[in-house]
Amino acid sequence: MNNLYFLHSLGCKVNSYETAAVGTILEGGGYRPTANVEDAGVIVLNTCSVTGKADQKSRQHISSFRKRNSQAVLIVMGCYSQTHAEQAVELGADIVLGAASRSAVLSLLERFLSTKKPIIELSSSIRRETYEELGATAFCENARAYLKVQDGCDNFCSYCLIPFLRGNSRSRDPRAVVDEAIALTASGYQEIIITGIHIGGYGKDLADGSFRLADLIESILNKCPSLPRLRISSIEESEIDEHLLSLFEKDSRIADHLHVPLQSGSQTVLERMKRHYSTDAFLSKLSAIRAVRPDIAITTDIIVGFPGETEEEWEETKRFCQQADFAEIHVFPYSARPGTAAARLKDLDPNLKKKRVKELLALSRELRDSYESRFFGRKLPVLFEDYDADAKVAHGHTSNYLKVSVPSEEPLHGQWKEIVYNSSIKSD
């Protein structure tokens, strides 16, 4: 077996972080990265299981990687493997990890190479986990770096398997978080993205529960004065507190963008989903956010076609989205997950769900176009992250997550440019 490794991550930003961290661990053991799966001696696939389609995609990738490289050690980890370990082995995995044991990847590799027998390492008590410190900084080949601060979830929404796949909510030691932020800043990353499964729950399980997400963010900003930008990933409405709002008001380095999952604009649907907020509270929080950041982009998630969703409830959702004036909506048709409370409810007609998805996507485009048009003609700082050498186009994002593409004869990776935003340079 050669010492080249290949990484591939499916699903969320947390997976991306964990995959990059495993890559760092492998490099510490003498392995080197390759961009070609066929050349690798070790393949690492981080899977997703948030929907039935994600399960299918995970299975397809396991099979594909095994067919493309029959000699490599195939390591499969993540949410899908937590509940489908045996199936992962049948599809070709050599080492299967769930929501833990990723820090032991080198020793597990040695064990497999010695025995040539499949290894399955899963958490036996997924709801009683402690935070797994991977012991490696997640370096990415990008100007932006993810920084994981939390894992697991205790919300038990009626449609979601994540509490059973990822386990209980657990917070990372703030000293480890700050140390990694310092290392990422020193390495030249221009933006750090705070991520986790349920980052708004950060700190509830630490000591007396008084050190929360806003305290952690403030510590990072104080300890990393040269960090140009810090971005917060998905956060629940109820967990955007006064302290966090005050940080938005006083520190412009916090990106002008928040992703606040709504899931439905109908109060009765929210109750069936077991979501812990009201539509009135959600609107009130959006007003509070915009009071300190008038130009902020607020994006959201909506699940379309939840069991029992009536035409009236659907119209309530569309009206709410217009009233909330989201910058964009991420639209997901409801997918029943066996083992959840909602899976016992009668599903809607698939054609009706498709119709409603189409309607909401159209509304999302209208809202996005309206939000973007507010910035036409304004000069905005853009962090460039990617480069298309064939088209000679550089791609980047503004603070409020507007996508920008500009002609360039050379890569602008990691550079900041003041760009006049208009319809000719925005990218879809």
Side-chain angles (χ1 to χ4, degrees), residues 343-375:
R344 297 192 294 267
L345 304 176
K346 185 179 179 181
D347 205 351
L348 292 192
D349 180 275
N351 291 324
L352 180 59
K353 280 196 278 190
K354 287 179 183 178
K355 174 179 175 291
R356 290 178 179 177
V357 164
K358 189 175 180 180
E359 289 176 10
L360 198 58
L361 286 172
L363 176 57
S364 177
R365 286 191 291 271
E366 289 177 18
L367 292 171
R368 185 186 65 192
D369 290 346
S370 174
Y371 178 77
E372 288 177 345
S373 68
R374 290 165 48 185
F375 300 91

PDB file of all heavy atoms in Angstrom, residues 343-375:
ATOM      1  N   ALA A 343     -42.376   9.874  10.962  1.00  0.00           N
ATOM      2  CA  ALA A 343     -42.452   8.755  10.007  1.00  0.00           C
ATOM      3  C   ALA A 343     -43.718   7.926  10.194  1.00  0.00           C
ATOM      4  O   ALA A 343     -44.115   7.183   9.297  1.00  0.00           O
ATOM      5  CB  ALA A 343     -41.218   7.873  10.147  1.00  0.00           C
ATOM      6  N   ARG A 344     -44.352   8.078  11.354  1.00  0.00           N
ATOM      7  CA  ARG A 344     -45.596   7.337  11.616  1.00  0.00           C
ATOM      8  C   ARG A 344     -46.816   8.060  11.060  1.00  0.00           C
ATOM      9  O   ARG A 344     -47.921   7.520  11.071  1.00  0.00           O
ATOM     10  CB  ARG A 344     -45.762   7.126  13.130  1.00  0.00           C
ATOM     11  CG  ARG A 344     -44.655   6.279  13.755  1.00  0.00           C
ATOM     12  CD  ARG A 344     -45.001   5.856  15.170  1.00  0.00           C
ATOM     13  NE  ARG A 344     -45.075   6.990  16.076  1.00  0.00           N
ATOM     14  CZ  ARG A 344     -44.053   7.423  16.812  1.00  0.00           C
ATOM     15  NH1 ARG A 344     -42.870   6.825  16.707  1.00  0.00           N
ATOM     16  NH2 ARG A 344     -44.192   8.437  17.631  1.00  0.00           N
ATOM     17  N   LEU A 345     -46.617   9.295  10.590  1.00  0.00           N
ATOM     18  CA  LEU A 345     -47.715  10.086  10.040  1.00  0.00           C
ATOM     19  C   LEU A 345     -47.861   9.825   8.542  1.00  0.00           C
ATOM     20  O   LEU A 345     -46.908   9.422   7.869  1.00  0.00           O
ATOM     21  CB  LEU A 345     -47.462  11.575  10.281  1.00  0.00           C
ATOM     22  CG  LEU A 345     -47.230  11.995  11.742  1.00  0.00           C
ATOM     23  CD1 LEU A 345     -46.885  13.477  11.813  1.00  0.00           C
ATOM     24  CD2 LEU A 345     -48.456  11.674  12.587  1.00  0.00           C
ATOM     25  N   LYS A 346     -49.049  10.052   8.017  1.00  0.00           N
ATOM     26  CA  LYS A 346     -49.307   9.819   6.604  1.00  0.00           C
ATOM     27  C   LYS A 346     -48.630  10.883   5.748  1.00  0.00           C
ATOM     28  O   LYS A 346     -48.830  12.082   5.947  1.00  0.00           O
ATOM     29  CB  LYS A 346     -50.820   9.804   6.331  1.00  0.00           C
ATOM     30  CG  LYS A 346     -51.160   9.439   4.895  1.00  0.00           C
ATOM     31  CD  LYS A 346     -52.664   9.403   4.669  1.00  0.00           C
ATOM     32  CE  LYS A 346     -52.989   9.048   3.212  1.00  0.00           C
ATOM     33  NZ  LYS A 346     -54.445   9.027   2.964  1.00  0.00           N
ATOM     34  N   ASP A 347     -47.844  10.421   4.793  1.00  0.00           N
ATOM     35  CA  ASP A 347     -47.106  11.333   3.917  1.00  0.00           C
ATOM     36  C   ASP A 347     -48.054  11.967   2.903  1.00  0.00           C
ATOM     37  O   ASP A 347     -49.107  11.417   2.576  1.00  0.00           O
ATOM     38  CB  ASP A 347     -45.997  10.569   3.194  1.00  0.00           C
ATOM     39  CG  ASP A 347     -44.843  11.468   2.773  1.00  0.00           C
ATOM     40  OD1 ASP A 347     -44.974  12.694   2.890  1.00  0.00           O
ATOM     41  OD2 ASP A 347     -43.810  10.931   2.319  1.00  0.00           O
ATOM     42  N   LEU A 348     -47.649  13.146   2.390  1.00  0.00           N
ATOM     43  CA  LEU A 348     -48.436  13.810   1.354  1.00  0.00           C
ATOM     44  C   LEU A 348     -48.166  13.186  -0.016  1.00  0.00           C
ATOM     45  O   LEU A 348     -47.151  12.512  -0.221  1.00  0.00           O
ATOM     46  CB  LEU A 348     -48.089  15.305   1.298  1.00  0.00           C
ATOM     47  CG  LEU A 348     -48.481  16.197   2.468  1.00  0.00           C
ATOM     48  CD1 LEU A 348     -48.319  17.651   2.071  1.00  0.00           C
ATOM     49  CD2 LEU A 348     -49.897  15.934   2.938  1.00  0.00           C
ATOM     50  N   ASP A 349     -49.050  13.460  -0.947  1.00  0.00           N
ATOM     51  CA  ASP A 349     -48.879  12.999  -2.315  1.00  0.00           C
ATOM     52  C   ASP A 349     -47.582  13.596  -2.893  1.00  0.00           C
ATOM     53  O   ASP A 349     -47.357  14.805  -2.813  1.00  0.00           O
ATOM     54  CB  ASP A 349     -50.071  13.462  -3.161  1.00  0.00           C
ATOM     55  CG  ASP A 349     -49.951  13.020  -4.597  1.00  0.00           C
ATOM     56  OD1 ASP A 349     -49.290  13.725  -5.388  1.00  0.00           O
ATOM     57  OD2 ASP A 349     -50.498  11.949  -4.929  1.00  0.00           O
ATOM     58  N   PRO A 350     -46.702  12.772  -3.473  1.00  0.00           N
ATOM     59  CA  PRO A 350     -45.426  13.273  -4.009  1.00  0.00           C
ATOM     60  C   PRO A 350     -45.588  14.378  -5.036  1.00  0.00           C
ATOM     61  O   PRO A 350     -44.773  15.311  -5.094  1.00  0.00           O
ATOM     62  CB  PRO A 350     -44.792  12.024  -4.644  1.00  0.00           C
ATOM     63  CG  PRO A 350     -45.424  10.869  -3.935  1.00  0.00           C
ATOM     64  CD  PRO A 350     -46.817  11.310  -3.611  1.00  0.00           C
ATOM     65  N   ASN A 351     -46.619  14.297  -5.846  1.00  0.00           N
ATOM     66  CA  ASN A 351     -46.841  15.328  -6.864  1.00  0.00           C
ATOM     67  C   ASN A 351     -47.196  16.674  -6.234  1.00  0.00           C
ATOM     68  O   ASN A 351     -46.814  17.732  -6.749  1.00  0.00           O
ATOM     69  CB  ASN A 351     -47.937  14.901  -7.835  1.00  0.00           C
ATOM     70  CG  ASN A 351     -47.506  13.742  -8.712  1.00  0.00           C
ATOM     71  OD1 ASN A 351     -46.340  13.664  -9.106  1.00  0.00           O
ATOM     72  ND2 ASN A 351     -48.422  12.824  -9.012  1.00  0.00           N
ATOM     73  N   LEU A 352     -47.940  16.627  -5.123  1.00  0.00           N
ATOM     74  CA  LEU A 352     -48.274  17.859  -4.415  1.00  0.00           C
ATOM     75  C   LEU A 352     -47.007  18.471  -3.815  1.00  0.00           C
ATOM     76  O   LEU A 352     -46.818  19.698  -3.871  1.00  0.00           O
ATOM     77  CB  LEU A 352     -49.300  17.571  -3.311  1.00  0.00           C
ATOM     78  CG  LEU A 352     -49.754  18.774  -2.478  1.00  0.00           C
ATOM     79  CD1 LEU A 352     -50.375  19.846  -3.375  1.00  0.00           C
ATOM     80  CD2 LEU A 352     -50.738  18.336  -1.388  1.00  0.00           C
ATOM     81  N   LYS A 353     -46.144  17.619  -3.269  1.00  0.00           N
ATOM     82  CA  LYS A 353     -44.875  18.127  -2.715  1.00  0.00           C
ATOM     83  C   LYS A 353     -44.023  18.769  -3.808  1.00  0.00           C
ATOM     84  O   LYS A 353     -43.442  19.848  -3.602  1.00  0.00           O
ATOM     85  CB  LYS A 353     -44.102  16.997  -2.031  1.00  0.00           C
ATOM     86  CG  LYS A 353     -44.612  16.686  -0.631  1.00  0.00           C
ATOM     87  CD  LYS A 353     -43.620  15.870   0.173  1.00  0.00           C
ATOM     88  CE  LYS A 353     -43.694  14.401  -0.151  1.00  0.00           C
ATOM     89  NZ  LYS A 353     -42.891  13.590   0.801  1.00  0.00           N
ATOM     90  N   LYS A 354     -43.963  18.139  -4.975  1.00  0.00           N
ATOM     91  CA  LYS A 354     -43.186  18.691  -6.084  1.00  0.00           C
ATOM     92  C   LYS A 354     -43.720  20.055  -6.499  1.00  0.00           C
ATOM     93  O   LYS A 354     -42.953  20.985  -6.787  1.00  0.00           O
ATOM     94  CB  LYS A 354     -43.222  17.735  -7.276  1.00  0.00           C
ATOM     95  CG  LYS A 354     -42.386  16.477  -7.089  1.00  0.00           C
ATOM     96  CD  LYS A 354     -42.487  15.575  -8.310  1.00  0.00           C
ATOM     97  CE  LYS A 354     -41.709  14.281  -8.107  1.00  0.00           C
ATOM     98  NZ  LYS A 354     -41.840  13.364  -9.267  1.00  0.00           N
ATOM     99  N   LYS A 355     -45.056  20.181  -6.533  1.00  0.00           N
ATOM    100  CA  LYS A 355     -45.680  21.452  -6.907  1.00  0.00           C
ATOM    101  C   LYS A 355     -45.310  22.543  -5.904  1.00  0.00           C
ATOM    102  O   LYS A 355     -44.954  23.667  -6.288  1.00  0.00           O
ATOM    103  CB  LYS A 355     -47.200  21.271  -6.969  1.00  0.00           C
ATOM    104  CG  LYS A 355     -48.009  22.540  -7.200  1.00  0.00           C
ATOM    105  CD  LYS A 355     -49.488  22.230  -7.267  1.00  0.00           C
ATOM    106  CE  LYS A 355     -50.332  23.496  -7.380  1.00  0.00           C
ATOM    107  NZ  LYS A 355     -50.299  24.302  -6.126  1.00  0.00           N
ATOM    108  N   ARG A 356     -45.372  22.201  -4.615  1.00  0.00           N
ATOM    109  CA  ARG A 356     -45.069  23.196  -3.591  1.00  0.00           C
ATOM    110  C   ARG A 356     -43.575  23.551  -3.564  1.00  0.00           C
ATOM    111  O   ARG A 356     -43.214  24.710  -3.319  1.00  0.00           O
ATOM    112  CB  ARG A 356     -45.535  22.684  -2.221  1.00  0.00           C
ATOM    113  CG  ARG A 356     -47.052  22.640  -2.114  1.00  0.00           C
ATOM    114  CD  ARG A 356     -47.542  22.092  -0.781  1.00  0.00           C
ATOM    115  NE  ARG A 356     -49.009  22.108  -0.740  1.00  0.00           N
ATOM    116  CZ  ARG A 356     -49.734  21.647   0.266  1.00  0.00           C
ATOM    117  NH1 ARG A 356     -49.135  21.087   1.321  1.00  0.00           N
ATOM    118  NH2 ARG A 356     -51.061  21.717   0.221  1.00  0.00           N
ATOM    119  N   VAL A 357     -42.723  22.563  -3.807  1.00  0.00           N
ATOM    120  CA  VAL A 357     -41.291  22.839  -3.902  1.00  0.00           C
ATOM    121  C   VAL A 357     -41.027  23.845  -5.016  1.00  0.00           C
ATOM    122  O   VAL A 357     -40.266  24.810  -4.849  1.00  0.00           O
ATOM    123  CB  VAL A 357     -40.494  21.540  -4.146  1.00  0.00           C
ATOM    124  CG1 VAL A 357     -39.078  21.849  -4.635  1.00  0.00           C
ATOM    125  CG2 VAL A 357     -40.421  20.702  -2.879  1.00  0.00           C
ATOM    126  N   LYS A 358     -41.658  23.628  -6.160  1.00  0.00           N
ATOM    127  CA  LYS A 358     -41.491  24.532  -7.303  1.00  0.00           C
ATOM    128  C   LYS A 358     -41.946  25.944  -6.954  1.00  0.00           C
ATOM    129  O   LYS A 358     -41.281  26.933  -7.298  1.00  0.00           O
ATOM    130  CB  LYS A 358     -42.274  23.989  -8.493  1.00  0.00           C
ATOM    131  CG  LYS A 358     -42.023  24.721  -9.801  1.00  0.00           C
ATOM    132  CD  LYS A 358     -42.759  24.036 -10.948  1.00  0.00           C
ATOM    133  CE  LYS A 358     -42.501  24.767 -12.261  1.00  0.00           C
ATOM    134  NZ  LYS A 358     -43.210  24.111 -13.400  1.00  0.00           N
ATOM    135  N   GLU A 359     -43.064  26.061  -6.248  1.00  0.00           N
ATOM    136  CA  GLU A 359     -43.577  27.375  -5.858  1.00  0.00           C
ATOM    137  C   GLU A 359     -42.605  28.084  -4.921  1.00  0.00           C
ATOM    138  O   GLU A 359     -42.349  29.290  -5.063  1.00  0.00           O
ATOM    139  CB  GLU A 359     -44.931  27.215  -5.160  1.00  0.00           C
ATOM    140  CG  GLU A 359     -46.070  26.812  -6.077  1.00  0.00           C
ATOM    141  CD  GLU A 359     -47.364  26.580  -5.312  1.00  0.00           C
ATOM    142  OE1 GLU A 359     -47.420  26.916  -4.107  1.00  0.00           O
ATOM    143  OE2 GLU A 359     -48.332  26.054  -5.910  1.00  0.00           O
ATOM    144  N   LEU A 360     -42.056  27.336  -3.961  1.00  0.00           N
ATOM    145  CA  LEU A 360     -41.176  27.975  -2.982  1.00  0.00           C
ATOM    146  C   LEU A 360     -39.822  28.328  -3.588  1.00  0.00           C
ATOM    147  O   LEU A 360     -39.226  29.348  -3.234  1.00  0.00           O
ATOM    148  CB  LEU A 360     -40.996  27.075  -1.758  1.00  0.00           C
ATOM    149  CG  LEU A 360     -40.471  27.788  -0.505  1.00  0.00           C
ATOM    150  CD1 LEU A 360     -41.405  28.922  -0.095  1.00  0.00           C
ATOM    151  CD2 LEU A 360     -40.293  26.810   0.648  1.00  0.00           C
ATOM    152  N   LEU A 361     -39.339  27.521  -4.504  1.00  0.00           N
ATOM    153  CA  LEU A 361     -38.094  27.859  -5.198  1.00  0.00           C
ATOM    154  C   LEU A 361     -38.264  29.142  -6.007  1.00  0.00           C
ATOM    155  O   LEU A 361     -37.350  29.980  -6.055  1.00  0.00           O
ATOM    156  CB  LEU A 361     -37.666  26.712  -6.108  1.00  0.00           C
ATOM    157  CG  LEU A 361     -37.082  25.471  -5.413  1.00  0.00           C
ATOM    158  CD1 LEU A 361     -36.885  24.336  -6.414  1.00  0.00           C
ATOM    159  CD2 LEU A 361     -35.760  25.799  -4.720  1.00  0.00           C
ATOM    160  N   ALA A 362     -39.424  29.309  -6.620  1.00  0.00           N
ATOM    161  CA  ALA A 362     -39.695  30.536  -7.380  1.00  0.00           C
ATOM    162  C   ALA A 362     -39.717  31.736  -6.442  1.00  0.00           C
ATOM    163  O   ALA A 362     -39.173  32.802  -6.763  1.00  0.00           O
ATOM    164  CB  ALA A 362     -41.022  30.414  -8.126  1.00  0.00           C
ATOM    165  N   LEU A 363     -40.343  31.567  -5.269  1.00  0.00           N
ATOM    166  CA  LEU A 363     -40.374  32.648  -4.286  1.00  0.00           C
ATOM    167  C   LEU A 363     -38.966  32.962  -3.786  1.00  0.00           C
ATOM    168  O   LEU A 363     -38.604  34.137  -3.615  1.00  0.00           O
ATOM    169  CB  LEU A 363     -41.282  32.270  -3.114  1.00  0.00           C
ATOM    170  CG  LEU A 363     -41.344  33.273  -1.949  1.00  0.00           C
ATOM    171  CD1 LEU A 363     -41.787  34.646  -2.444  1.00  0.00           C
ATOM    172  CD2 LEU A 363     -42.272  32.759  -0.859  1.00  0.00           C
ATOM    173  N   SER A 364     -38.171  31.932  -3.571  1.00  0.00           N
ATOM    174  CA  SER A 364     -36.798  32.137  -3.121  1.00  0.00           C
ATOM    175  C   SER A 364     -36.002  32.963  -4.133  1.00  0.00           C
ATOM    176  O   SER A 364     -35.251  33.866  -3.761  1.00  0.00           O
ATOM    177  CB  SER A 364     -36.104  30.791  -2.884  1.00  0.00           C
ATOM    178  OG  SER A 364     -34.756  30.985  -2.504  1.00  0.00           O
ATOM    179  N   ARG A 365     -36.180  32.661  -5.412  1.00  0.00           N
ATOM    180  CA  ARG A 365     -35.478  33.431  -6.449  1.00  0.00           C
ATOM    181  C   ARG A 365     -35.905  34.893  -6.433  1.00  0.00           C
ATOM    182  O   ARG A 365     -35.074  35.793  -6.585  1.00  0.00           O
ATOM    183  CB  ARG A 365     -35.729  32.811  -7.826  1.00  0.00           C
ATOM    184  CG  ARG A 365     -34.970  31.514  -8.073  1.00  0.00           C
ATOM    185  CD  ARG A 365     -35.041  31.086  -9.532  1.00  0.00           C
ATOM    186  NE  ARG A 365     -36.387  30.672  -9.909  1.00  0.00           N
ATOM    187  CZ  ARG A 365     -36.853  29.434  -9.795  1.00  0.00           C
ATOM    188  NH1 ARG A 365     -36.077  28.477  -9.308  1.00  0.00           N
ATOM    189  NH2 ARG A 365     -38.082  29.136 -10.185  1.00  0.00           N
ATOM    190  N   GLU A 366     -37.209  35.133  -6.229  1.00  0.00           N
ATOM    191  CA  GLU A 366     -37.703  36.514  -6.155  1.00  0.00           C
ATOM    192  C   GLU A 366     -37.070  37.249  -4.977  1.00  0.00           C
ATOM    193  O   GLU A 366     -36.618  38.398  -5.104  1.00  0.00           O
ATOM    194  CB  GLU A 366     -39.228  36.518  -5.997  1.00  0.00           C
ATOM    195  CG  GLU A 366     -39.997  36.099  -7.230  1.00  0.00           C
ATOM    196  CD  GLU A 366     -41.497  36.063  -6.959  1.00  0.00           C
ATOM    197  OE1 GLU A 366     -41.938  36.680  -5.963  1.00  0.00           O
ATOM    198  OE2 GLU A 366     -42.226  35.406  -7.723  1.00  0.00           O
ATOM    199  N   LEU A 367     -37.053  36.592  -3.820  1.00  0.00           N
ATOM    200  CA  LEU A 367     -36.498  37.215  -2.623  1.00  0.00           C
ATOM    201  C   LEU A 367     -34.994  37.457  -2.777  1.00  0.00           C
ATOM    202  O   LEU A 367     -34.478  38.507  -2.371  1.00  0.00           O
ATOM    203  CB  LEU A 367     -36.764  36.326  -1.402  1.00  0.00           C
ATOM    204  CG  LEU A 367     -38.221  36.196  -0.969  1.00  0.00           C
ATOM    205  CD1 LEU A 367     -38.368  35.116   0.103  1.00  0.00           C
ATOM    206  CD2 LEU A 367     -38.765  37.530  -0.448  1.00  0.00           C
ATOM    207  N   ARG A 368     -34.296  36.476  -3.365  1.00  0.00           N
ATOM    208  CA  ARG A 368     -32.859  36.626  -3.562  1.00  0.00           C
ATOM    209  C   ARG A 368     -32.552  37.772  -4.519  1.00  0.00           C
ATOM    210  O   ARG A 368     -31.669  38.603  -4.267  1.00  0.00           O
ATOM    211  CB  ARG A 368     -32.276  35.329  -4.122  1.00  0.00           C
ATOM    212  CG  ARG A 368     -30.743  35.346  -4.246  1.00  0.00           C
ATOM    213  CD  ARG A 368     -30.251  34.104  -4.947  1.00  0.00           C
ATOM    214  NE  ARG A 368     -30.725  34.067  -6.329  1.00  0.00           N
ATOM    215  CZ  ARG A 368     -30.646  33.006  -7.111  1.00  0.00           C
ATOM    216  NH1 ARG A 368     -30.158  31.870  -6.652  1.00  0.00           N
ATOM    217  NH2 ARG A 368     -31.082  33.051  -8.357  1.00  0.00           N
ATOM    218  N   ASP A 369     -33.298  37.847  -5.627  1.00  0.00           N
ATOM    219  CA  ASP A 369     -33.082  38.933  -6.588  1.00  0.00           C
ATOM    220  C   ASP A 369     -33.356  40.287  -5.950  1.00  0.00           C
ATOM    221  O   ASP A 369     -32.630  41.262  -6.195  1.00  0.00           O
ATOM    222  CB  ASP A 369     -33.978  38.741  -7.810  1.00  0.00           C
ATOM    223  CG  ASP A 369     -33.549  37.558  -8.679  1.00  0.00           C
ATOM    224  OD1 ASP A 369     -32.421  37.066  -8.486  1.00  0.00           O
ATOM    225  OD2 ASP A 369     -34.354  37.133  -9.537  1.00  0.00           O
ATOM    226  N   SER A 370     -34.404  40.341  -5.142  1.00  0.00           N
ATOM    227  CA  SER A 370     -34.749  41.600  -4.468  1.00  0.00           C
ATOM    228  C   SER A 370     -33.646  42.015  -3.498  1.00  0.00           C
ATOM    229  O   SER A 370     -33.251  43.191  -3.451  1.00  0.00           O
ATOM    230  CB  SER A 370     -36.076  41.442  -3.717  1.00  0.00           C
ATOM    231  OG  SER A 370     -36.371  42.591  -2.958  1.00  0.00           O
ATOM    232  N   TYR A 371     -33.134  41.053  -2.739  1.00  0.00           N
ATOM    233  CA  TYR A 371     -32.071  41.363  -1.776  1.00  0.00           C
ATOM    234  C   TYR A 371     -30.805  41.803  -2.507  1.00  0.00           C
ATOM    235  O   TYR A 371     -30.195  42.822  -2.159  1.00  0.00           O
ATOM    236  CB  TYR A 371     -31.776  40.153  -0.898  1.00  0.00           C
ATOM    237  CG  TYR A 371     -30.655  40.412   0.089  1.00  0.00           C
ATOM    238  CD1 TYR A 371     -30.874  41.170   1.240  1.00  0.00           C
ATOM    239  CD2 TYR A 371     -29.379  39.914  -0.143  1.00  0.00           C
ATOM    240  CE1 TYR A 371     -29.850  41.420   2.134  1.00  0.00           C
ATOM    241  CE2 TYR A 371     -28.345  40.163   0.742  1.00  0.00           C
ATOM    242  CZ  TYR A 371     -28.584  40.916   1.888  1.00  0.00           C
ATOM    243  OH  TYR A 371     -27.550  41.182   2.775  1.00  0.00           O
ATOM    244  N   GLU A 372     -30.421  41.059  -3.540  1.00  0.00           N
ATOM    245  CA  GLU A 372     -29.190  41.383  -4.256  1.00  0.00           C
ATOM    246  C   GLU A 372     -29.269  42.760  -4.913  1.00  0.00           C
ATOM    247  O   GLU A 372     -28.271  43.493  -4.942  1.00  0.00           O
ATOM    248  CB  GLU A 372     -28.920  40.322  -5.319  1.00  0.00           C
ATOM    249  CG  GLU A 372     -28.476  38.982  -4.745  1.00  0.00           C
ATOM    250  CD  GLU A 372     -28.286  37.921  -5.811  1.00  0.00           C
ATOM    251  OE1 GLU A 372     -28.773  38.123  -6.958  1.00  0.00           O
ATOM    252  OE2 GLU A 372     -27.656  36.890  -5.512  1.00  0.00           O
ATOM    253  N   SER A 373     -30.437  43.120  -5.418  1.00  0.00           N
ATOM    254  CA  SER A 373     -30.579  44.389  -6.141  1.00  0.00           C
ATOM    255  C   SER A 373     -30.313  45.590  -5.238  1.00  0.00           C
ATOM    256  O   SER A 373     -29.946  46.662  -5.728  1.00  0.00           O
ATOM    257  CB  SER A 373     -31.971  44.496  -6.766  1.00  0.00           C
ATOM    258  OG  SER A 373     -32.968  44.617  -5.759  1.00  0.00           O
ATOM    259  N   ARG A 374     -30.467  45.403  -3.928  1.00  0.00           N
ATOM    260  CA  ARG A 374     -30.204  46.503  -2.992  1.00  0.00           C
ATOM    261  C   ARG A 374     -28.740  46.919  -3.001  1.00  0.00           C
ATOM    262  O   ARG A 374     -28.400  48.038  -2.569  1.00  0.00           O
ATOM    263  CB  ARG A 374     -30.592  46.081  -1.566  1.00  0.00           C
ATOM    264  CG  ARG A 374     -32.078  45.944  -1.347  1.00  0.00           C
ATOM    265  CD  ARG A 374     -32.407  45.186  -0.080  1.00  0.00           C
ATOM    266  NE  ARG A 374     -31.674  45.632   1.099  1.00  0.00           N
ATOM    267  CZ  ARG A 374     -31.743  45.048   2.296  1.00  0.00           C
ATOM    268  NH1 ARG A 374     -32.526  43.979   2.450  1.00  0.00           N
ATOM    269  NH2 ARG A 374     -31.061  45.502   3.308  1.00  0.00           N
ATOM    270  N   PHE A 375     -27.871  46.050  -3.500  1.00  0.00           N
ATOM    271  CA  PHE A 375     -26.437  46.317  -3.427  1.00  0.00           C
ATOM    272  C   PHE A 375     -25.821  46.677  -4.769  1.00  0.00           C
ATOM    273  O   PHE A 375     -24.622  46.947  -4.843  1.00  0.00           O
ATOM    274  CB  PHE A 375     -25.723  45.095  -2.818  1.00  0.00           C
ATOM    275  CG  PHE A 375     -26.201  44.780  -1.440  1.00  0.00           C
ATOM    276  CD1 PHE A 375     -27.257  43.893  -1.244  1.00  0.00           C
ATOM    277  CD2 PHE A 375     -25.656  45.405  -0.336  1.00  0.00           C
ATOM    278  CE1 PHE A 375     -27.724  43.618   0.027  1.00  0.00           C
ATOM    279  CE2 PHE A 375     -26.124  45.142   0.933  1.00  0.00           C
ATOM    280  CZ  PHE A 375     -27.166  44.251   1.129  1.00  0.00           C
TER     281      PHE A 375
END
